[in-house]
């Protein structure tokens, strides 16, 4: 299989550091606010990468982190009056539940910055001892970028170009504007830990380097995250880690594209953030994934109006074909799995979910023809689709259950004439006028709706097939 490596800007044959094993790390969420679709997308992409590598026979150890202490979290703590550690813990708990609802598996290792303070302090001290970092008079500790000649290797730009137009942290204690904080001296009332440099907390970039080394050692196979992390975060991780160990930090660097909403960058200031919790209330997790995975993971995704509704429409059509197939022919075992072979070929080319999704339209068109021709191999095709596309989080549900879930999330407005017929039928039933009630039920059925009676009244539902 081949993976696009941001470090070399080419697709490379995947050869792990240790035969049969993969060490993989993805930068997770800074829990300073509610999880949005960008967080969900990144989690889905690396969940898929992990699962496909496992499908290819690799034993994958996958680590994802939570940044649970930083400036934004401290600001939220002051805004809400909730202690920073509790605020972060609450947000992590909520995010974990959302990811489970989004059908993203837990990583092998779930790492948190606050649980690695000792590892972080030890890492920083070793950088100081090696001449790659320095403690400032105010208690801050900075990485000396000039001590790492390969700085800029990931973003393929010089230090001067990288700093042009980038907001630089103002400090009279830095030796150079390019240097970045490894340890920040505590301000009054801030969450902090003791260190030889005084009370403080870790800088953002050092967290991932220290957690990676504690979990995996000096080198890993795959490091990932959103492409907005290439500089400064991932660039700084390389500088820190390779300065300490003298070894290549990550063999393959992968970066997913960013989410735009109707052509604009998603941001709080524009008020266009799409919260994962809100989307899951309105759409199935499969529909959200279907919409996102139609784009190659390295490209930005433009969430236009109607994109999730369109995805839901396609999935409803596919699930109806699955339902029809399984009713007519039953459920089959996968035998000659040409669909699986094609799936593996496509996904082996840098996890090409976009092509895998596009193949579905031809598959289901062929299955529909097989149903019409009374060809029972349609059931084998459905079984193959279910088996392989479950890796993308698709077609994992019972067909009727899925169609009901869609109806519940987006109930269709019942026409007034159907409502009137249903009410007349209910009154006829209360009056024990069974003949009239049955006649009215028949009219409702002919209009495409069903009335279901309960102890508290009745409910009108549109026919699902």
């Amino acid at each position: 299989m081949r993976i696009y490596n941001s470090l070399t800007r080419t697709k490379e044959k995947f050869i792990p550091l240790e035969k049969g094993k993969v060490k993989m790390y993805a930068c997770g969420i800074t829990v300073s606010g509610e999880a949005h679709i960008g967080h969900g997308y990144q989690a889905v992409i690396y969940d898929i990468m992990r699962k496909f590598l496992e499908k290819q026979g690799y034993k994958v150890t996958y680590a994802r982190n939570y940044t649970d202490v930083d400036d934004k979290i401290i600001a939220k703590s002051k805004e809400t009056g909730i202690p920073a550690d509790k605020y972060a813990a609450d947000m992590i708990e909520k995010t974990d539940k959302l990811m489970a609802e989004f059908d993203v598996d837990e990583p092998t290792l779930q790492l948190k910055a606050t649980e690695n303070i000792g590892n972080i302090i030890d890492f920083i001290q070793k950088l100081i001892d090696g001449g790659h970092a320095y403690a400032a008079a105010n208690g801050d500790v900075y990485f000396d970028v000039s001590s790492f000649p390969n700085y800029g290797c990931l973003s393929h730009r010089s230090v001067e170009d990288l700093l042009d137009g980038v907001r630089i942290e103002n400090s009279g204690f830095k030796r150079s504007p390019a240097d970045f904080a490894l340890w920040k001296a505590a301000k009054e009332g801030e969450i902090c830990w003791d260190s030889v440099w005084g009370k403080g907390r870790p800088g953002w970039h050092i967290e991932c380097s220290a957690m990676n080394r504690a979990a995996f050692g000096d080198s890993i196979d795959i490091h990932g995250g959103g492409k907005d992390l290439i500089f400064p975060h991932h660039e700084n991780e390389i500088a820190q880690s390779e300065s300490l160990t003298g070894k290549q930090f990550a063999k393959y660097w992968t970066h997913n594209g960013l989410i735009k909403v109707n052509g604009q960058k998603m941001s709080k200031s524009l008020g266009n953030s799409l919260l994962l919790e809100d989307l899951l209330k309105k759409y199935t997790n499969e529909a959200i994934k279907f919409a996102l995975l139609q784009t190659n993971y390295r490209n930005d995704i433009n969430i236009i109006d109607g994109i999730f509704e369109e995805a839901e429409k396609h999935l409803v059509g596919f699930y109806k074909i699955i339902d029809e197939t399984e009713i007519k022919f039953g459920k089959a075992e996968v035998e000659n799995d040409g669909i699986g072979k094609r799936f593996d070929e496509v996904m082996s080319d840098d996890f090409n979910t976009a092509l895998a999704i596009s193949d579905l339209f031809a598959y289901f068109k062929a299955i529909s023809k097989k149903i019409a021709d009374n060809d029972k191999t349609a059931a084998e095709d459905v079984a193959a689709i279910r088996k392989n596309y479950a890796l993308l989080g698709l077609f994992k549900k019972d067909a009727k259950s899925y169609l009901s879930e869609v109806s519940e999330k987006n109930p269709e407005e019942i026409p007034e004439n159907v409502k009137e017929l249903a009410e007349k039928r209910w009154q006829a039933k209360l009056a024990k006028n069974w003949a009239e009630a049955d006649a009215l039920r028949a009219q409702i059925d002919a209009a495409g709706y069903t009335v279901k009676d309960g102890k508290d009244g009745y409910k009108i539902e549109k026919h699902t097939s």
Side-chain angles (χ1 to χ4, degrees):
M1 63 178 293
R2 298 191 304 159
I3 296 178
Y4 183 86
N5 190 348
S6 300
L7 189 66
T8 60
R9 293 186 174 179
T10 58
K11 283 184 185 177
E12 300 178 8
K13 183 177 180 181
F14 179 67
I15 303 173
L17 296 169
E18 184 179 351
K19 187 175 180 180
K21 296 182 179 179
V22 177
K23 294 185 286 189
M24 174 174 152
Y25 181 98
C27 289
I29 302 172
T30 299
V31 286
S32 56
E34 303 284 340
H36 55 62
I37 187 60
H39 298 137
Y41 178 56
Q42 191 259 19
V44 163
I45 290 300
Y46 288 97
D47 186 49
I48 287 171
M49 286 187 183
R50 175 243 202 121
K51 287 173 179 172
F52 187 70
L53 288 165
E54 289 175 339
K55 189 172 191 275
Q56 300 311 296
Y58 294 106
K59 182 180 179 182
V60 181
T61 305
Y62 168 42
R64 188 174 70 225
N65 78 298
Y66 275 122
T67 294
D68 56 349
V69 57
D70 85 328
D71 292 341
K72 291 180 180 177
I73 292 170
I74 289 170
K76 277 288 186 181
S77 171
K78 291 177 179 176
E79 178 187 322
T80 61
I82 302 170
D85 55 350
K86 185 178 187 317
Y87 178 87
D90 290 346
M91 291 306 299
I92 287 173
E93 182 180 3
K94 183 173 183 180
T95 301
D96 281 345
K97 288 179 180 176
L98 278 174
M99 289 301 174
E101 188 180 345
F102 199 34
D103 193 28
V104 173
D105 287 353
E106 291 184 1
T108 317
L109 303 171
Q110 185 75 278
L111 307 175
K112 297 180 183 128
T114 58
E115 294 176 357
N116 282 269
I117 299 298
N119 293 325
I120 292 168
I121 289 173
D122 179 67
F123 199 113
I124 294 171
Q125 186 59 58
K126 284 183 169 66
L127 286 174
I128 293 174
D129 295 343
H132 295 286
Y134 56 91
N138 70 333
D140 289 345
V141 180
Y142 293 98
F143 183 86
D144 182 358
V145 168
S146 68
S147 74
F148 186 67
N150 206 27
Y151 195 80
C153 62
L154 183 64
S155 47
H156 303 274
R157 296 169 66 190
S158 67
V159 175
E160 293 74 21
D161 288 341
L162 287 169
L163 295 179
D164 184 31
V166 175
R167 183 178 153 214
I168 301 298
E169 194 179 314
N170 294 321
S171 173
F173 298 95
K174 284 185 179 185
R175 293 176 184 171
S176 164
D179 296 347
F180 56 88
L182 301 173
W183 186 260
K184 295 186 175 185
K187 296 178 180 141
E188 187 66 32
E190 286 186 349
I191 186 171
C192 61
W193 291 265
D194 290 325
S195 77
V196 295
W197 317 291
K199 290 184 181 296
R201 58 189 170 85
W204 176 33
H205 313 299
I206 193 65
E207 295 174 3
C208 288
S209 286
M211 288 189 285
N212 250 302
R213 190 161 189 257
F216 294 121
D218 293 341
S219 301
I220 61 174
D221 295 285
I222 300 172
H223 196 311
K227 71 179 183 181
D228 56 330
L229 300 181
I230 291 175
F231 182 83
H233 188 52
H234 289 166
E235 198 76 70
N236 291 351
E237 279 191 63
I238 291 173
Q240 296 161 163
S241 296
E242 297 188 4
S243 290
L244 179 67
T245 68
K247 301 175 183 178
Q248 185 178 36
F249 175 35
K251 188 174 182 182
Y252 302 92
W253 284 87
T254 60
H255 293 93
N256 61 274
L258 306 180
I259 300 286
K260 295 181 179 179
V261 180
N262 291 318
Q264 291 184 303
K265 180 180 177 181
M266 190 170 62
S267 69
K268 290 181 181 177
S269 60
L270 292 173
N272 64 350
S273 293
L274 297 174
L275 298 184
L276 189 55
E277 182 178 20
D278 293 341
L279 289 172
L280 286 168
K281 287 177 181 175
K282 193 170 183 182
Y283 309 105
T284 64
N285 55 35
E286 292 197 16
I288 299 170
K289 289 179 182 180
F290 189 95
L292 298 175
L293 297 176
Q294 290 182 89
T295 299
N296 182 288
Y297 80 91
R298 299 200 316 270
N299 297 334
D300 290 349
I301 296 177
N302 187 24
I303 304 294
I304 59 173
D305 293 340
I307 189 171
F308 297 118
E309 288 86 351
E310 186 69 15
E312 198 84 89
K313 178 182 172 184
H314 289 312
L315 279 173
V316 164
F318 293 156
Y319 263 111
K320 284 182 176 179
I321 294 171
I322 289 173
D323 191 38
E324 188 177 357
T325 302
E326 292 178 343
I327 288 172
K328 188 168 186 178
F329 302 113
K331 294 183 179 180
E333 296 294 326
V334 179
E335 295 179 7
N336 181 18
D337 188 4
I339 288 173
K341 183 180 178 182
R342 166 66 177 175
F343 182 85
D344 286 354
E345 287 174 356
V346 166
M347 290 293 289
S348 290
D349 185 11
D350 196 34
F351 312 103
N352 195 341
T353 63
L355 192 49
I357 293 289
S358 70
D359 285 342
L360 287 169
F361 294 90
Y363 292 154
F364 279 104
K365 183 177 181 181
I367 292 169
S368 289
K369 186 175 187 307
K370 286 184 177 183
I371 294 170
D373 293 343
N374 204 33
D375 183 346
K376 67 181 181 180
T377 62
E380 295 173 18
D381 292 346
V382 165
I385 289 170
R386 279 194 179 278
K387 176 184 174 183
N388 291 282
Y389 282 82
L391 192 144
L392 304 185
L394 302 176
F395 310 114
K396 296 176 69 174
K397 301 173 183 178
D398 171 76
K400 283 187 170 56
S401 296
Y402 182 83
L403 296 171
S404 294
E405 183 184 352
V406 172
S407 296
E408 288 170 9
K409 286 180 181 289
N410 295 283
E412 184 175 323
E413 182 61 33
I414 308 297
E416 286 301 320
N417 67 310
V418 174
K419 290 180 183 178
E420 290 174 6
L421 290 170
E423 181 58 28
K424 286 180 181 178
R425 177 196 162 276
W426 180 249
Q427 295 303 325
K429 185 181 177 184
L430 291 177
K432 297 184 179 182
N433 190 341
W434 310 121
E436 184 180 354
D438 288 345
L440 289 163
R441 180 189 283 278
Q443 290 182 53
I444 294 167
D445 186 67
Y449 294 85
T450 300
V451 177
K452 293 184 177 180
D453 294 330
K455 61 180 181 180
D456 298 322
Y458 61 88
K459 182 169 66 172
I460 310 171
E461 293 181 356
K462 185 174 178 61
H463 291 170
T464 57
S465 61

